Amino acid sequence: MSILVNKNTKLVIQGITGRDGKFHTGKMKEYGTNIVAGVSPGKEGLILDGVPVFNSVAAAVKATGANTSIIFVPAPFAADAILEASEAGIELVVAISEGLPIQDMIRITPILKMNGTLLIGPNCPGLITPDEALVGILPANIFKKGNIGFISRSGTLTYEVVNLLTLNDFGQTTCVGIGGDPVAGLYFIDLLQRFEDDPETIAVVVIGEIGGDAEEQAAQFIADKMTKPVVAFIAGQTAPPGKRMGHAGAIISSGSGTAAEKIAAFNKAGVPVAKEPNEIPELLRQKLKK
Amino acid sequence: MKIHEYQARQLFRKYEIPVPEDVLCYTVSEVEKAARDLNRMVVVKAQVLVGGRGKAGGVKLARNVDEAVSAAKQILGMDIKGFKVEKVLVADAVDITKEYYVGLINDRNTKTVTLMVSSEGGVEIEEVAKTNPEKIIKFHINPLTGLLDYQARDIALQLFSDIKVAQKAASIFKKLYKLYVETDATIAEINPLVLTPDNEVLAIDGKMNFDDNALFRQPEILAMREPDEDELVEIDAHNKGLSYIRLDGNIGCMVNGAGLAMATMDMIKLYGGEPANFLDIGGSSSPQKVIDAMNILLNDKHVKAVMINIFGGITRCDDVAKGLIKAMEVISTDIPIVVRLSGTNAAEGLELLKQTNLPTVSSMSEAAQKAIELSRL
């Protein structure tokens, strides 16, 4: 088992003819992801890497039964692409695009809700269910099938930690990069619930960072609703207030959103927080022994 | 992106939010002329991109031209939290019956623009949130309808009992929302919004920040940008595809990815060092980017050692190594550099680095410890 993506995923790639879209289509295909279609307006009829290209998501869905989409189109057009996928009946949209205006995200949120579309991202590395499906830009070779669920706001920090998990023989059910934007799709709580419900996941690793209070909410959710152990790491303990640390959402504003508050919330919920990424495998081991 | 109060007032006027008359001045003689022209009690206000001006003595009331001149002499050139005051706003000082707070923000949890109002105006809203949270009224605006007339009126009626006054305030809420959405703002504050003895409702101070991701479609806002020295370096880095923020320490770091870059700073601190910066070179790793990044790091005179931490995913370690080799050819420096390469093509990258004298390590904690050690030599 896994969450969100698996062998039954039928993926359509929006922006398949762009530089990034093309490159990662190859990588995802190589991993064995079931890619059924690509979308690039004006390029219908083209076959790229064995993948048929359509003018619209609706046409792609009609012809192939695609149920999941990944978006590589540039930020100014990404909100439109997300809505196009949602209106075409795609169930899960993964937006890799970085730099979406916040107002665009706010405007599309109620429409996604009405259509029942799940969104991951934007500004995220996507997700992977090892040995089944890669829907994103994560480097596939560091992942390994197993029983740990993984949720992170960051990209490369995810790779750092997953690599440590794999080296320590902690394989993963599904790893999800939820992205670094202040207004985004599925967040910690939504995914913790899914991992709690997934019979194969035995523990979850959460990688948070400064900005907002999603980690505090996750801590509360873990304390109230979760039976499975959770281990956390928070990046940005040394970040100065008022500065955007690369990710649009990673900012301490008016003294809130600090790493210290998030660590305190997790500790209160019985979630150990690693001082450095290296400690995560050992914390997991201790939690699973109990 | 931040703008000054005088710029926020310009935007308010454009959206027909009532603001008292004012004049922007750069010199004492300009202040004298402005005070004479306004010909009544004025406020002289420092224009700096940082909060807490009032407490720092950057806002002074002047009853006549002489007082305005003496206020200008004190304020122009003063230092407020590291920001030098280069200009002041001379504004009509209106009579105030009561002060209120009005603000709009993007709320991450409800994913809406949220209107906050309070009868506790003129103080920082964060203070009110701590001491009197029940005094803040919050309203999450549906993005599909915007702020509707009856909603704005209902909220205003919670602050003002007189319906005529409430309607004036409601109209300001709606105009501020329109301004907020149309300019891709991330904060729009009127603090305070004031009620005058003749029942006028006016904005006498304004603060606005904007979404950096939306500046591509906001040329008018972008033209208002007045970056300080640190921001100039940050903007220059941004134009080169780098994300850089200067900090106070002495260990420079170059990392791929924002989360890993933050974790790297944290780790330097954990092992007893102080990071000199946040620097994310992003996803791709062209040699030019590495050269640009090294130049920025080594231009910071405080840097005593550099830690390069790369976890190759999409970024290929051999590309980073090639960039580093090129960078070392064009940049001559005595500052020690520690390199950690892991992930995609790490072995190839490390092999390439053998031709340099750069010490390499395999984990980020080793890299941090080594960089700290070298910084102390």
Side-chain angles (χ1 to χ4, degrees):
Chain A
M1 285 289 284
S2 54
I3 68 166
L4 298 167
V5 297
N6 54 36
K7 284 266 182 254
N8 302 320
T9 294
K10 289 182 178 177
L11 186 65
V12 52
I13 293 162
Q14 291 176 257
I16 191 169
T17 51
R19 191 178 61 101
D20 293 343
K22 210 186 254 174
F23 177 77
H24 292 291
T25 297
K27 292 279 177 198
M28 288 186 278
K29 203 158 184 250
E30 199 179 298
Y31 195 69
T33 309
N34 183 19
I35 302 175
V36 297
V39 170
S40 183
K43 307 263 171 67
E44 186 156 306
L46 193 72
I47 307 280
L48 247 178
D49 240 340
V51 178
V53 178
F54 298 86
N55 279 336
S56 71
V57 181
V61 169
K62 196 168 173 218
T64 66
N67 57 15
T68 302
S69 124
I70 184 165
I71 295 179
F72 289 102
V73 307
F77 317 105
D80 187 73
I82 295 169
L83 285 184
E84 183 187 356
S86 173
E87 296 286 327
I90 294 288
E91 295 155 23
L92 172 68
V93 179
V94 180
I96 305 298
S97 318
E98 179 181 352
L100 266 81
I102 299 170
Q103 287 306 319
D104 287 7
M105 284 302 298
I106 287 176
R107 266 192 288 269
I108 68 171
T109 295
I111 302 168
L112 298 182
K113 203 170 170 190
M114 278 189 282
N115 290 340
T117 314
L118 303 178
L119 172 68
I120 293 179
N123 188 16
C124 80
L127 69 167
I128 182 170
T129 292
D131 295 350
E132 296 198 30
L134 165 63
V135 180
I137 60 173
L138 307 132
N141 58 317
I142 59 172
F143 296 87
K144 182 182 147 182
K145 198 170 185 58
N147 305 100
I148 306 297
F150 192 98
I151 316 168
S152 170
R153 278 171 73 179
S154 152
T156 45
L157 184 55
T158 296
Y159 314 157
E160 178 82 39
V161 178
V162 165
N163 189 47
L164 287 165
L165 291 180
T166 296
L167 289 174
N168 283 275
D169 223 21
F170 286 114
Q172 306 93 37
T173 44
T174 302
C175 298
V176 189
I178 57 179
D181 275 7
V183 175
L186 294 184
Y187 235 69
F188 288 126
I189 291 181
D190 314 284
L191 296 165
L192 285 167
Q193 179 69 61
R194 284 178 166 79
F195 280 128
E196 174 73 10
D197 296 341
D198 172 40
E200 279 198 3
T201 300
I202 57 167
V204 184
V205 174
V206 170
I207 308 289
E209 65 188 29
I210 54 162
D213 65 352
E215 288 80 1
E216 286 87 335
Q217 291 185 31
Q220 191 62 49
F221 178 84
I222 293 163
D224 295 345
K225 305 273 175 63
M226 282 197 68
T227 58
K228 296 175 183 177
V230 180
V231 169
F233 176 77
I234 304 289
Q237 298 178 42
T238 48
K243 288 281 185 185
R244 192 170 104 144
M245 306 302 283
H247 289 154
I251 180 165
I252 298 170
S253 35
S254 316
S256 77
T258 64
E261 289 169 303
K262 294 169 190 298
I263 292 169
F266 275 128
N267 284 332
K268 197 174 155 220
V271 175
V273 181
K275 283 202 281 297
E276 56 175 301
N278 275 338
E279 289 183 1
I280 292 170
E282 183 51 34
L283 291 177
L284 260 183
R285 224 170 268 134
Q286 287 169 13
K287 268 281 180 186
L288 287 168
K289 241 190 250 166
K290 282 177 191 163
Chain B
M1 185 196 124
K2 293 176 185 172
I3 59 170
H4 288 287
E5 177 201 357
Y6 80 90
Q7 296 168 312
R9 291 166 81 116
Q10 286 167 4
L11 289 170
F12 289 174
R13 284 196 191 95
K14 190 178 163 195
Y15 281 78
E16 296 172 342
I17 294 168
V19 181
E21 226 180 311
D22 59 44
V23 184
L24 183 69
C25 303
Y26 292 85
T27 62
V28 175
S29 61
E30 282 175 16
V31 171
E32 187 178 359
K33 181 174 186 306
R36 216 176 285 288
D37 290 350
L38 286 170
N39 193 27
R40 54 159 300 164
M41 196 151 41
V42 295
V43 198
V44 182
K45 306 170 96 176
Q47 298 295 295
V48 280
L49 294 173
V50 65
R53 293 176 303 175
K55 275 182 206 153
V59 178
K60 290 195 188 314
L61 193 66
R63 279 166 298 185
N64 52 46
V65 177
D66 286 348
E67 284 186 16
V69 166
S70 109
K73 280 181 181 158
Q74 287 173 53
I75 297 171
L76 277 167
M78 78 185 283
D79 185 280
I80 299 179
K81 297 181 184 169
F83 290 80
K84 190 171 175 225
V85 181
E86 283 164 348
K87 47 187 173 283
V88 293
L89 195 66
V90 178
D92 190 348
V94 295
D95 293 327
I96 297 170
T97 302
K98 185 162 170 46
E99 299 183 323
Y100 301 85
Y101 171 90
V102 181
L104 287 165
I105 52 152
N106 295 322
D107 183 62
R108 293 179 186 224
N109 295 320
T110 56
K111 301 175 190 179
T112 61
V113 175
T114 297
L115 173 66
M116 292 190 295
V117 300
S118 174
S119 55
E120 302 286 296
V123 288
E124 280 183 35
I125 195 67
E126 291 81 12
E127 256 328 288
V128 183
K130 273 185 203 138
T131 52
N132 289 315
E134 75 288 349
K135 293 256 173 84
I136 300 175
I137 302 160
K138 284 188 185 179
F139 183 79
H140 305 300
I141 299 166
N142 182 333
L144 300 183
T145 60
L147 182 61
L148 298 169
D149 284 342
Y150 82 90
Q151 294 166 336
R153 203 164 49 233
D154 281 355
I155 297 160
L157 278 169
Q158 296 184 55
L159 296 183
F160 304 96
S161 49
D162 179 339
I163 180 71
K164 280 188 184 147
V165 175
Q167 264 162 336
K168 286 177 187 168
S171 156
I172 292 174
F173 300 165
K174 288 197 62 174
K175 288 166 179 166
L176 190 66
Y177 175 73
K178 187 169 189 290
L179 165 63
Y180 185 93
V181 172
E182 288 183 356
T183 57
D184 280 295
T186 53
I187 294 176
E189 267 186 356
I190 301 174
N191 190 21
L193 179 81
V194 302
L195 177 65
T196 66
D198 47 2
N199 278 345
E200 288 305 317
V201 182
L202 298 171
I204 67 168
D205 198 351
K207 174 182 169 185
M208 288 193 78
N209 290 356
F210 302 91
D211 182 358
D212 291 349
N213 283 347
L215 291 176
F216 72 89
R217 64 184 181 199
Q218 298 291 351
E220 206 180 316
I221 300 300
L222 189 58
M224 291 181 159
R225 177 179 254 173
E226 291 181 16
D228 61 38
E229 246 172 79
D230 277 358
E231 282 168 334
L232 280 175
V233 180
E234 287 162 20
I235 292 167
D236 178 54
H238 180 81
N239 292 338
K240 290 172 174 150
L242 308 166
S243 180
Y244 172 82
I245 291 162
R246 179 173 283 178
L247 305 172
D248 296 331
N250 60 8
I251 299 188
C253 32
M254 183 204 299
V255 188
N256 66 324
L260 191 61
M262 276 189 272
T264 301
M265 288 161 37
D266 294 349
M267 188 168 276
I268 290 170
K269 181 96 177 172
L270 182 69
Y271 285 105
E274 289 289 341
N277 64 280
F278 167 93
L279 174 55
D280 169 14
I281 61 168
S284 81
S285 46
S286 73
Q288 189 55 45
K289 256 193 186 178
V290 178
I291 294 171
D292 290 338
M294 284 305 288
N295 271 323
I296 291 175
L297 286 183
L298 298 173
N299 268 338
D300 180 352
K301 298 283 168 275
H302 299 106
V303 169
K304 295 274 176 282
V306 172
M307 163 176 178
I308 297 174
N309 184 19
I310 305 294
F311 198 102
I314 306 319
T315 305
R316 291 170 37 174
C317 290
D318 51 337
D319 281 347
V320 175
K322 281 176 203 157
L324 263 179
I325 292 166
K326 266 219 175 107
M328 299 326 289
E329 281 166 8
V330 292
I331 303 167
S332 66
T333 179
D334 300 331
I335 292 169
I337 299 167
V338 182
V339 187
R340 181 272 179 131
L341 298 179
S342 196
T344 307
N345 293 2
E348 291 87 336
L350 291 171
E351 187 58 36
L352 284 169
L353 285 183
K354 277 188 183 155
Q355 60 178 279
T356 68
N357 288 326
L358 301 177
T360 57
V361 293
S362 60
S363 78
M364 78 189 256
S365 48
E366 275 175 79
Q369 290 170 61
K370 183 90 183 158
I372 292 168
E373 185 194 314
L374 291 170
S375 75
R376 287 175 180 160
L377 290 181

